[in-house]
Amino acid sequence: MLSLRAFIAIIAATSLSSNVVAQTPVPNWGLCGGLCFGANYVDQPCAGGWVCTVENAYYHQCLPPPATTSSK
């Protein structure tokens, strides 16, 4: 059985290695995260300034950025 210390070391190494890999932006309207995203639950960057938006725990989608309003 793994000790707690060994388990934490494995988790830390896995987390660090996934952050080092260059990530290809997800196309507009694409699936960018969530539990249905496969083994990688971390949201991926969206292309063109779009935002990875949480629809629910299972599905995150690249959507247009919110409109900005200017105030005078």
Side-chain angles (χ1 to χ4, degrees):
M1 180 172 215
L2 279 176
S3 70
L4 180 58
R5 186 173 295 178
F7 178 73
I8 292 171
I10 291 169
I11 297 300
T14 304
S15 297
L16 290 175
S17 65
S18 66
N19 292 336
V20 174
V21 177
Q23 298 174 340
T24 303
V26 175
N28 299 347
W29 306 108
L31 175 66
C32 56
L35 296 176
C36 288
F37 197 58
N40 188 358
Y41 303 123
V42 179
D43 289 347
Q44 302 298 304
C46 296
W50 285 40
V51 180
C52 188
T53 305
V54 176
E55 297 294 321
N56 58 50
Y58 296 94
Y59 189 79
H60 302 183
Q61 183 178 21
C62 287
L63 297 177
T68 56
T69 57
S70 59
S71 58
K72 291 185 178 186

